[in-house]
Amino acid sequence: MIKKMIDRLLGKPAAASKPPFGKRRVISEKEHRIDHTLVDDRALNVVRTLQERGFEAYIVGGAVRDLLVGLKPKDFDVATNATPEEVKACFRRAFIIGRRFRIVHVVYGRGREHEVIEVSTFRAYLDSNDAEQVSGNERTSKKALSNMTHAVDASGRVLRDNVWGPQDEDAARRDFTVNAMYYDPLTGDVIDYHHGLEDAKKRVLRMIGDPATRYREDPVRIIRAVRFAAKLNNLGFKIEPRTAKPLKASVGLLADVPQSRLFDEMLKLLQTGHALASIEQLKTLGMARGIYPLLDVVVERVDADFVQAALQDTDRRVGEGKPVAPSFLLACVLWADVREGWHLRSAEMPAFPALQEAIEDVFNARIGDVSGRGKLAGDMREIWTMQPRFDKRSGSAPFGLVEQARFRAGFDFMRLRAEVGEVDEELADWWETFSTASDDTRVDMLQAVKPAPRAVRADGTPVARKRPRRRRKPANGGPSSGGDVAA
């Protein structure tokens, strides 16, 4: 007690005030054997540019983990001791984003081919007990948070984390040991503080520090644990028992995380090429329900033929390096709700308004108010409203349909329906041929389509088709018969 008081008077930190940051270990290429040809040229350029300006810079996180096990990373992140403002000044197209966690996006290319390298500044490891505290959340405490650099809520969840520090502290505040290594592609060295290389070799996912505390600091780590376990399962990675033990009990902490952030994390679970494996992990860990309402729906319907086919198709496309859109997968997951609502309303109102009402109900019930709902909803709406239009193969309608920007998504959706027997395979084949045929061939295809059978009376005689009534042109230039007279 006396020693602690003397240390406090002398300004010395308490012995237990800081966690062990680990010992810096420099691992050479000869030991780690990373194939440098797997490193993205743009990430290499970011590292080189920052180092040439006098800063430290490394490829960091999951990209290093993937390189160590021989995978080509899909995304490359960079960590540096340069502040966000200093990073931004080094690149022509760089943008500071985020409030909770300020980072820089360095952008290469334009349009759909653009690539983003995410650059973060080394963070200091700060005890939550020393952070500024707010009683509410990101929305209710927005004004109070605006001037804070390190703040937590009443549960200990970090709401602001923008205090810069040395590399060893930055490593300590990362989540898993295999994600806390730093790779310098110019020298070939890997910097490791927490035996991440050994865990990568042993195929172990181990949390740095006390797992329960780390989940409380950022509950999204719960979802990340599931995602990494699913992604790396084929390589033999398992969640270390001590890291896995608090997962199920910690799910309730996600209730305080903003819905938009949970929505983004759900999409990462489903769109990184391991959707089915992620759902299997959720079931294995006893977390099939409670993470996010829409994810609950996906897990419930995973065995339905249409949803299963959509998830398999998404995993396949990611594996082949093809783009995937959240609107398509979610349209598949929620199609059963839309179809049911459409069927119920069609008995009382015309088909298209019935479909529109059913779609609106599904958006309100299932999607809710998340960031980006406008575009997401617009794309999903187009996919769904296109489905009845595929039944019409006459006149000019098919020509207009194939010219629509979202035609391919709508067609792929219909093709998936055909695969599970919901629509005729012949219809899907016809549209696939029509979409790529010349105009002359399209005309021939339309003429070859058998007209819809005419309705018949009970005695078997055909019902005459009604012709539209021709309006008689008035002789005196007045309103036509049956028209409204202007007041």
Side-chain angles (χ1 to χ4, degrees):
M1 175 66 79
I2 295 174
K3 185 178 183 301
K4 288 182 179 179
M5 290 177 64
I6 294 172
D7 285 344
R8 195 177 297 126
L9 288 170
L10 294 175
K12 294 182 179 180
S17 63
K18 280 193 172 184
F21 292 127
K23 184 179 179 181
R24 177 186 171 96
R25 179 182 167 199
V26 180
I27 305 166
S28 67
E29 278 186 296
K30 186 177 180 181
E31 185 175 354
H32 63 65
R33 297 184 178 181
I34 285 177
D35 181 355
H36 63 87
T37 64
L38 297 176
V39 177
D40 186 280
D41 287 340
R42 288 155 289 203
L44 184 63
N45 182 64
V46 170
V47 171
R48 181 185 291 113
T49 300
L50 288 168
Q51 289 190 10
E52 287 175 350
R53 300 290 181 93
F55 301 110
E56 295 179 61
Y58 303 84
I59 292 170
V60 70
V64 184
R65 177 202 65 221
D66 289 352
L67 289 168
L68 284 170
V69 296
L71 298 178
K72 183 174 178 61
K74 295 188 183 301
D75 300 299
F76 284 84
D77 297 337
V78 170
T80 178
N81 63 345
T83 66
E85 290 75 16
E86 289 170 332
V87 173
K88 187 177 186 300
C90 293
F91 300 93
R92 186 170 59 85
R93 296 182 65 210
F95 309 92
I96 298 174
I97 67 165
R99 287 191 283 273
R100 173 183 174 272
F101 192 89
R102 293 177 70 227
I103 58 176
V104 179
H105 278 179
V106 179
V107 182
Y108 291 88
R110 297 186 180 276
R112 300 182 72 178
E113 302 302 318
H114 82 285
E115 176 81 14
V116 173
I117 304 298
E118 193 170 282
V119 184
S120 61
T121 304
F122 293 155
R123 257 66 177 180
Y125 191 103
L126 298 174
D127 194 311
S128 295
N129 294 324
D130 298 328
E132 297 179 270
Q133 295 195 358
V134 295
S135 56
N137 55 35
E138 290 89 336
R139 289 188 178 182
T140 60
S141 304
K142 188 178 290 186
K143 187 175 180 180
L145 286 167
S146 62
N147 295 317
M148 295 180 181
T149 55
H150 184 225
V152 297
D153 66 9
S155 69
R157 182 168 63 96
V158 178
L159 303 182
R160 287 287 185 276
D161 186 8
N162 292 303
V163 180
W164 320 133
Q167 187 185 52
D168 62 340
E169 294 192 19
D170 186 74
R173 49 162 302 284
R174 292 181 179 271
D175 46 21
F176 301 97
T177 59
V178 294
N179 291 345
M181 290 176 282
Y182 304 78
Y183 174 52
D184 185 340
L186 302 182
T187 65
D189 292 336
V190 168
I191 312 301
D192 184 8
Y193 290 91
H194 298 281
H195 307 289
L197 180 64
E198 285 75 14
D199 283 347
K201 289 178 178 178
K202 294 175 184 176
R203 301 301 196 253
V204 170
L205 285 172
R206 186 193 313 276
M207 182 69 71
I208 297 171
D210 175 59
T213 301
R214 303 308 301 280
Y215 295 140
R216 191 161 55 250
E217 289 172 351
D218 185 2
V220 166
R221 287 178 177 138
I222 298 164
I223 306 175
R224 285 166 60 85
V226 174
R227 178 156 56 88
F228 293 146
K231 175 180 178 177
L232 301 169
N233 183 60
N234 288 341
L235 295 173
F237 274 82
K238 302 293 181 186
I239 302 177
E240 181 237 356
R242 182 169 168 269
T243 300
K245 187 177 180 180
L247 278 172
K248 186 177 180 181
S250 300
V251 168
L253 297 170
L254 292 166
D256 293 326
V257 176
Q259 291 291 294
S260 57
R261 193 170 176 222
L262 286 178
F263 184 78
D264 289 343
E265 289 297 327
M266 178 197 71
L267 293 182
K268 289 177 184 177
L269 271 182
L270 301 177
Q271 291 196 276
T272 52
H274 312 279
L276 290 169
S278 294
I279 291 171
E280 194 58 38
Q281 278 290 331
L282 288 171
K283 291 179 176 179
T284 300
L285 294 167
M287 298 161 59
R289 295 191 61 83
I291 288 180
Y292 187 69
L294 189 52
L295 183 59
D296 290 349
V297 178
V298 179
V299 176
E300 284 172 13
R301 298 179 179 178
V302 67
D303 294 325
D305 290 343
F306 189 53
V307 175
Q308 179 87 195
L311 292 167
Q312 288 174 343
D313 186 63
T314 299
D315 284 351
R316 176 187 61 79
R317 289 181 66 87
V318 174
E320 294 173 357
K322 295 179 179 178
V324 292
S327 54
F328 183 86
L329 181 57
L330 294 181
C332 292
V333 171
L334 299 178
W335 173 239
D337 295 341
V338 171
R339 192 177 53 193
E340 181 181 357
W342 184 21
H343 176 72
L344 291 173
R345 288 170 175 78
S346 292
E348 303 172 355
M349 59 195 304
F352 192 72
L355 177 57
Q356 291 281 26
E357 278 199 12
I359 290 171
E360 208 56 47
D361 279 356
V362 170
F363 283 150
N364 292 331
R366 298 296 196 187
I367 301 295
D369 182 20
V370 295
S371 175
R373 168 175 162 169
K375 183 180 186 317
L376 181 78
D379 291 347
M380 292 170 69
R381 187 187 301 276
E382 281 193 68
I383 291 170
W384 285 330
T385 56
M386 213 176 282
Q387 299 312 300
R389 297 176 64 186
F390 285 115
D391 293 327
K392 187 174 182 182
R393 292 183 287 171
S394 61
S396 62
F399 288 91
L401 186 56
V402 295
E403 295 302 319
Q404 289 206 1
R406 298 289 297 167
F407 169 77
R408 192 69 215 180
F411 168 76
D412 287 345
F413 188 91
M414 189 264 288
R415 166 65 79 185
L416 215 55
R417 293 173 62 208
E419 287 181 13
V420 299
E422 192 177 309
V423 297
D424 198 324
E425 282 275 5
E426 183 274 331
L427 181 67
D429 292 341
W430 188 92
W431 276 102
E432 185 160 13
T433 303
F434 185 84
S435 66
T436 57
S438 65
D439 285 346
D440 289 342
T441 302
R442 287 175 176 179
V443 170
D444 292 341
M445 290 179 68
L446 288 171
Q447 290 176 346
V449 174
K450 293 180 181 179
R454 291 177 62 180
V456 294
R457 297 189 182 92
D459 60 3
T461 58
V463 176
R465 289 195 176 97
K466 290 185 179 180
R467 296 192 177 187
R469 217 172 132 191
R470 257 181 103 179
R471 293 186 176 180
R472 192 177 296 172
K473 188 176 180 180
N476 59 358
S480 61
S481 175
D484 294 331
V485 180

